[in-house]
């Protein structure tokens, strides 16, 4: 009989050991095995803390210090961290098969049915995936298949993801250029410019126009309701699919279930993700009408043209079912509308007091503060212009750094406009927690008077960190 030889297990790091790693050990793993430059970037402003517990809007570090999360997973935590309804939902399906492609998952069918009840208009058919970028990829393919056209129109300053198709319609050259050539026949127009849209669609050769009702990474830029209504009319007139990217704005974030409802318009295709999985499971979908779905995939030969291995898996869709139920039970869209109005009003008062706050804008609990970079000075001269470049590129990060390191409040700047910090807390955030944020901002702004003090101090720290590398 052949003797079996058991090989020794590699020196794996266990879950328990990983949780107990020191901050430097964690940095070292990321530096050696993931992305060393992100370690450098996160470390510049002390954004590489280790957190060991989370609940609602609060997270705690290993020393027991509480932080308020006003970043909210870039909109993925509308229900907050570790909402108990998600634990119950996942526990209820733990013995079911999670992946079994040779079947029709009853939970996926139930979630799709539930979604059709809460989405606007005649949106009915859902395709489940794992991320916002995947939802955008599927939406672009659907539009091309349904219309027989190839051209896509998107907006400058937009952000739709970093996979190849989603990146092709993302409106910032910094992210696109290193990966060219991308998907062809994509045109970019100014955001919220109805005349530019009409011109772009005039030849009746555009498969889809994709846009965010609120440009998140563009700096929290809200599209006027009248513009969205015009988009709907122009797309209909030219046979172009209107794709609404509500990956960040969906599920109550702006004070409605979906941001396009403020303008009372329904897109042809709706992209959703982020908070759809409750912050515990990766879950995404694109939705469309029965007519459009059948135009694209309405035969046995076409039914399998677009698929996803993990899309619609049991645990993910169970989380999605719990998210919809919890939103209704806790009336989260209303909470977002009321708390957002309160926060916006208080921030506008700060803007009147501190002129370096260039603009306060947003809708619901998706709010941006844009800052005016400080004027040139001696320190800028001594650094050969490097400090001015730091201020222009990292002023939002500097404010976020002050909030994190001195007030234990987590925020971040927007990718396409680094002079903007985003405030995107869970919709369950309390008024007391909002007031704590406001008090921290007041202290940051008052302490730094002309704002330049903080920028110069932070700029020197950033320059020093960069020069050591």
């Amino acid at each position: 009989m052949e003797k079996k030889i058991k090989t020794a297990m590699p020196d794996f790091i266990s879950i328990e050991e990983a949780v107990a790693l020191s901050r430097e050990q964690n940095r070292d793993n990321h530096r050696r095995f993931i992305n060393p430059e992100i370690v450098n970037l996160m470390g510049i402003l002390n954004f590489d803390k280790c957190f060991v517990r989370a609940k609602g809007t609060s997270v705690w570090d290993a020393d027991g210090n509480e932080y308020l999360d006003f970043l909210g997973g870039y909109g993925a935590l509308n229900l907050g961290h570790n909402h108990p309804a998600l634990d119950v939902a996942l526990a209820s399906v733990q013995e079911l098969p999670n992946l079994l492609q040779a079947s029709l998952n009853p939970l996926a069918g139930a979630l799709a049915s539930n979604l059709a009840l809460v989405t606007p208009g005649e949106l009915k058919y859902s395709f489940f995936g794992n991320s916002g970028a995947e939802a955008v990829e599927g939406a672009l393919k659907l539009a091309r298949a349904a219309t027989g056209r190839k051209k896509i129109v998107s907006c400058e300053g937009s952000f739709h993801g970093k996979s190849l198709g989603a990146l092709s319609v993302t409106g910032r050259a910094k992210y696109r250029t290193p990966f060219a050539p991308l998907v062809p026949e994509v045109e970019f127009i100014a955001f919220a410019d109805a005349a530019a849209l009409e011109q772009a669609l005039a030849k009746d050769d555009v498969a889809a126009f994709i846009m965010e009702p609120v440009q998140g990474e563009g700096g929290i830029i809200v599209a006027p309701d009248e513009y969205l209504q015009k988009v709907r009319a122009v797309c209909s007139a030219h046979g172009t699919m209107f794709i609404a990217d509500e990956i960040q704005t969906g599920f109550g974030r702006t004070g409605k279930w979906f941001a396009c409802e403020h303008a009372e318009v329904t897109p042809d295709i709706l992209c959703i993700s982020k908070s759809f999985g409750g912050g515990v499971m990766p879950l995404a979908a694109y939705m469309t009408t029965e007519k459009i779905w059948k135009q694209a995939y309405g035969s046995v030969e076409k039914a399998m043209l677009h698929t996803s291995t993990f899309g619609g898996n049991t645990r993910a869709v169970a989380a999605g079912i719990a998210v919809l139920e919890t939103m209704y039970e806790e009336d989260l869209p209303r909470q977002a509308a009321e708390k957002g109005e309160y926060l916006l009003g208080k921030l506008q008062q700060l803007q009147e007091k501190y002129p370096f706050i260039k603009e306060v804008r947003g809708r619901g609990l998706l709010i941006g503060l844009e800052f005016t970079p400080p004027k040139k000075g001696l320190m800028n001269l001594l650094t050969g212009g490097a400090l001015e470049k730091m201020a222009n590129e990292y002023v939002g990060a500097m404010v976020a750094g002050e909030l994190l390191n001195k007030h234990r409040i987590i925020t971040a700047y927007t990718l396409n406009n680094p002079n903007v910090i985003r405030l995107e807390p869970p919709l369950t955030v309390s008024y007391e927690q909002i007031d704590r944020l406001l008090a921290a901002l007041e202290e940051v702004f008052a302490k730094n008077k002309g704002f330049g003090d903080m920028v110069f101090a932070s700029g020197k720290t950033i320059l020093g960190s960069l020069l050591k590398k």
Side-chain angles (χ1 to χ4, degrees), residues 230-296:
K230 186 69 173 179
V231 167
R232 176 67 280 172
V234 172
C235 285
S236 296
H238 293 280
T240 296
M241 299 287 105
F242 170 24
I243 302 175
D245 179 343
E246 294 239 25
I247 290 162
Q248 190 164 182
T249 55
F251 300 102
R253 172 58 55 182
T254 66
K256 297 279 190 183
W257 271 81
F258 300 96
C260 59
E261 293 180 287
H262 289 283
E264 299 182 344
V265 301
T266 302
D268 297 297
I269 307 170
L270 176 70
C271 296
I272 52 179
S273 187
K274 289 194 181 289
S275 65
F276 191 17
V280 299
M281 295 298 297
L283 179 61
Y286 65 86
M287 295 186 68
T288 192
T289 65
E290 181 175 5
K291 178 182 177 181
I292 294 170
W293 182 269
K294 289 184 175 180
Q295 285 175 339

Side-chain angles (χ1 to χ4, degrees), residues 452-463:
D453 295 346
M454 180 195 68
V455 170
F456 289 144
S458 299
K460 287 188 291 182
T461 300
I462 292 174
L463 284 172

